[in-house]
Amino acid sequence: MTLFMEQETRFFTTLKISIASVLFFGFLIIVYSRMDPDLWWHLRVGEWVVKNNSVPRADVYSYTMHGFPWVNHEWLVDSILWILWTSNVWWITVLLFTLFVSIPLLYWIYKARSYVELWMILPVALFFSRMAGVRPQIISLFLFFLLFELLQRMYGAEAKFLLSEKDNPSRQDALVRYACFLPVFFFFWANLHAGFAAGLSIWGIMLVIHYIRHWWHTRGFHIPASFHTDIVLFGLSIILTFANPYGWYLHKEILAASLSPETLEYINEWQPAFATGMLTPVFFLGAGIVFLFVSKAYQKIAPELLGVAAATLLAFLRSVRNGPFFFITTVPLVQKSVETTLLMIHIKRRDYPFTHHEKTVYIMIGTTLYALLLILFMNGTTKTGSPYPEQAVRFLHSYMKEYKQEIHIFNPYGWGGYLIAKAPNTQVFIDGRMPHWVNQDGTGAMKDYTQISKKGHWQTLFRKHKINMVIWQNKNNQPATFRTKIRNRILSTHIGSWFANLLLNDDKDTIDIVASLRSQEWSVIYEDEISIVLVCNSNGPMDCYGHD
């Protein structure tokens, strides 16, 4: 190896270490500072599970859906979070969830053999940063990654397809090695988070493709020795997912939430990728590069990997929430494609090496892209989400002691979990558990919430739920964000506003509900920079709710 090659290798290793460090500490900042709105009700439910030594089976935290059947598929995570929270070791939680979201990226950086592979990892890190935090689905992201790496060794490129099982001892060794592990793995996963369904799905896809290949090449239906082991393993893993406090109702809940039109309509994270800000130029650029490499080297990639990548791509296009699964199954595929494509380029350019000018241009382009993506990633570390109404909740505690009547409070969707945790004597209108909850008559809290907050149809629904208090964001006292200034001062045209919404993906209420209430017999009893609390101060309900 020449001195130049040694220096280049040393520089590449240093670059990998520096990128890995930036990503890890960036995610550490995100997880530490970003308090997910659902975290609060997770803590409250974890407290309930620990104290009652049981799991909740019906809603007790809201008055709009009180008693509605509830399957909490994250009950074990909630319990662990509550124990860590009350034990004053929350730093362990932060570190664990940082590792859960970082380990796949760090592993891919370790496996990278070229600058192109490193560049392809950064957009994935940018996507992960939007979902990072102390969130149970991050556990599924990590477990899905572990499972996919194991399945690659069992059915993918690292378990080479041979017609004779005797000629493939690594295949049999892998099956024996994982025979006891995988069913137990799915047992724990099913009690931690509903994402185990995605793991079973890719395993089933790999099994089908693997044995179709076998039967196609053998031109018959000869059953290999490993087939029975695979079926027993897969079947036992499915059976053990029913070993949870809810039994088969857990699977029913997963199916209901996944297919719920309410979830797809109301929750941004569940919507199709093309309906959110995910299909930005960065995504199209990355997708184009992925297609370029895959199209050049698809013949060298195991069909099992291609099939799973295609399936997770369809799932991602249907719902942004499936994005991590798509990237986990695609990045290894891209890395293999990049290595093959770069080798082909090297062979073709062997007699026509790149000039110094060409290398300089490529380095400048690559450096610019690296810098841009890292800036975008680090910008994400400063976004901690909307503040919570801490002072308003303290006021509610004192107000509730004096208020003798039952209070039905109308609250923002993102504050429902916080109120469940911090104002336990107050039942909420809506929180993060309820988007897909629908009564037999087709009504639901999420549908009513949207009618009130987005469309302004509050009179009838306030009367229906007997709402006599409102806690809401005090947007008048909050300083304009950088995104808002860009939209208002620069992109003021119709096309510019649409473009800003596509890239920045901000949610905006179309109705100023506080102004609407003030025009009726509602008065402000508390106000600070974050929140505002209103109550009806009239003697009759018609004055409170007005006319339809």
Side-chain angles (χ1 to χ4, degrees):
M1 181 181 292
T2 64
L3 178 61
F4 175 77
M5 293 177 64
E6 291 179 356
Q7 292 176 343
E8 186 176 20
T9 302
R10 191 179 303 115
F11 174 78
F12 184 67
T13 302
T14 303
L15 180 63
K16 290 169 66 174
I17 295 174
S18 62
I19 292 177
S21 301
V22 169
L23 294 183
F24 177 80
F25 288 106
F27 277 114
L28 184 63
I29 294 173
I30 292 173
V31 174
Y32 173 77
S33 59
R34 182 181 295 169
M35 302 296 285
D36 185 72
D38 289 341
L39 172 63
W40 303 105
W41 69 257
H42 282 301
L43 292 172
R44 181 72 189 281
V45 174
E47 177 188 16
W48 194 94
V49 172
V50 171
K51 290 183 177 180
N52 293 276
N53 196 27
S54 180
V55 297
R57 299 183 182 275
D59 174 49
V60 295
Y61 299 116
S62 76
Y63 63 88
T64 51
M65 304 293 289
H66 194 82
F68 190 87
W70 174 31
V71 175
N72 181 21
H73 59 89
E74 301 152 331
W75 69 273
L76 184 56
V77 177
D78 295 350
S79 305
I80 296 172
L81 291 178
W82 169 252
I83 293 172
L84 293 173
W85 179 273
T86 55
S87 300
N88 295 321
V89 288
W90 192 247
W91 63 269
I92 295 179
T93 308
V94 173
L95 181 60
L96 284 175
F97 279 83
T98 301
L99 290 172
F100 290 156
V101 73
S102 300
I103 284 178
L105 298 165
L106 300 181
Y107 179 74
W108 295 331
I109 291 174
Y110 168 77
K111 296 275 288 186
R113 297 295 180 265
S114 67
Y115 295 99
V116 178
E117 294 175 63
L118 278 181
W119 183 88
M120 291 299 299
I121 294 171
L122 293 180
V124 181
L126 183 61
F127 182 90
F128 281 10
S129 70
R130 299 185 61 171
M131 309 184 77
V134 180
R135 311 177 68 190
Q137 51 262 52
I138 299 300
I139 297 177
S140 273
L141 181 154
F142 175 67
L143 296 179
F144 187 91
F145 166 75
L146 292 181
L147 176 67
F148 184 70
E149 290 299 318
L150 292 178
L151 294 179
Q152 282 192 84
R153 288 158 175 75
M154 294 174 64
Y155 308 105
E158 297 190 29
K160 297 180 180 179
F161 180 82
L162 298 176
L163 300 184
S164 174
E165 293 286 344
K166 296 180 180 179
D167 296 332
N168 193 3
S170 62
R171 168 91 173 102
Q172 292 287 356
D173 292 343
L175 285 175
V176 173
R177 190 180 306 118
Y178 306 137
C180 297
F181 171 76
L182 282 174
V184 176
F185 178 83
F186 275 99
F187 165 74
F188 282 105
W189 194 354
N191 285 277
L192 291 170
H193 190 259
F196 74 89
L200 287 174
S201 298
I202 67 162
W203 189 3
I205 292 172
M206 280 192 168
L207 274 175
V208 171
I209 296 177
H210 185 78
Y211 286 106
I212 287 177
R213 288 179 66 198
H214 175 86
W215 291 324
W216 177 264
H217 283 280
T218 57
R219 296 294 191 272
F221 289 94
H222 169 70
I223 299 179
S226 61
F227 178 78
H228 300 93
T229 306
D230 279 321
I231 295 301
V232 170
L233 271 180
F234 187 63
L236 185 58
S237 297
I238 294 176
I239 292 173
L240 286 181
T241 62
F242 289 86
N244 65 82
Y246 300 98
W248 72 276
Y249 286 100
L250 173 62
H251 300 73
K252 181 180 178 181
E253 170 72 8
I254 295 171
L255 189 63
S258 302
L259 301 180
S260 169
E262 288 76 20
T263 303
L264 293 176
E265 179 180 358
Y266 301 131
I267 307 302
N268 185 67
E269 196 174 79
W270 282 86
Q271 293 176 352
F274 54 81
T276 66
M278 293 299 175
L279 293 185
T280 61
V282 173
F283 176 81
F284 282 118
L285 176 62
I289 295 176
V290 169
F291 177 78
L292 172 65
F293 286 119
V294 171
S295 63
K296 292 290 185 180
Y298 71 93
Q299 293 180 340
K300 296 184 179 295
I301 299 174
E304 291 87 344
L305 301 183
L306 290 172
V308 168
T312 53
L313 173 60
L314 294 177
F316 176 39
L317 293 177
R318 184 183 182 276
S319 174
V320 172
R321 195 178 180 90
N322 297 319
F325 302 147
F326 164 67
F327 289 115
I328 287 172
T329 58
T330 303
V331 169
L333 179 150
V334 173
Q335 288 185 324
K336 297 177 186 297
S337 302
V338 167
E339 293 175 3
T340 303
T341 304
L342 291 180
L343 179 60
M344 294 169 57
I345 294 175
H346 176 73
I347 294 175
K348 290 184 177 181
R349 295 294 301 249
R350 184 168 48 192
D351 298 329
Y352 305 96
F354 291 104
T355 64
H356 178 72
H357 176 72
E358 289 176 328
K359 291 181 179 180
T360 302
V361 171
Y362 295 148
I363 291 174
M364 290 179 62
I365 294 175
T367 303
T368 302
L369 292 173
Y370 273 127
L372 175 62
L373 289 170
L374 285 175
I375 289 173
L376 289 173
F377 175 77
M378 293 308 297
N379 180 55
T381 64
T382 63
K383 301 170 185 174
T384 59
S386 301
Y388 296 103
E390 298 181 22
Q391 299 298 328
V393 168
R394 293 193 182 96
F395 169 79
L396 287 178
H397 280 296
S398 59
Y399 184 84
M400 291 282 289
K401 294 179 181 179
E402 301 178 3
Y403 199 74
K404 304 302 181 182
Q405 300 180 8
E406 183 180 8
I407 290 181
H408 284 183
I409 190 169
F410 180 72
N411 59 276
Y413 174 81
W415 285 359
Y418 185 82
L419 292 174
I420 288 175
K422 298 297 184 177
N425 295 325
T426 303
Q427 291 188 322
V428 300
F429 184 97
I430 188 74
D431 66 82
R433 303 167 300 140
M434 302 163 61
H436 66 286
W437 292 3
V438 179
N439 295 314
Q440 293 183 353
D441 59 359
T443 61
M446 193 68 197
K447 182 179 293 185
D448 289 351
Y449 175 80
T450 304
Q451 291 291 321
I452 295 171
S453 62
K454 302 292 184 181
K455 300 181 180 180
H457 301 163
W458 64 273
Q459 290 92 342
T460 302
L461 295 173
F462 269 40
R463 184 182 298 111
K464 169 186 173 182
H465 296 291
K466 301 179 181 179
I467 295 172
N468 51 15
M469 178 181 288
V470 173
I471 181 171
W472 207 249
Q473 299 100 332
N474 192 358
K475 297 183 179 181
N476 293 329
N477 289 339
Q478 292 182 7
T481 62
F482 178 70
R483 296 179 174 191
T484 304
K485 292 178 180 178
I486 290 179
R487 179 180 291 109
N488 294 339
R489 297 182 181 181
I490 301 178
L491 304 175
S492 58
T493 65
H494 177 73
I495 296 178
S497 178
W498 173 86
F499 189 68
N501 284 328
L502 178 65
L503 288 179
L504 301 179
N505 195 28
D506 283 346
D507 292 326
K508 298 189 297 179
D509 289 340
T510 57
I511 298 297
D512 187 351
I513 189 172
V514 173
S516 299
L517 292 174
R518 278 177 162 173
S519 66
Q520 303 292 331
E521 295 294 328
W522 290 75
S523 60
V524 177
I525 60 172
Y526 178 83
E527 183 175 8
D528 59 29
E529 293 183 353
I530 296 173
S531 59
I532 183 170
V533 180
L534 302 95
V535 296
C536 179
N537 58 0
S538 70
N539 296 324
M542 289 302 297
D543 295 330
C544 287
Y545 307 134
H547 299 279
D548 297 339

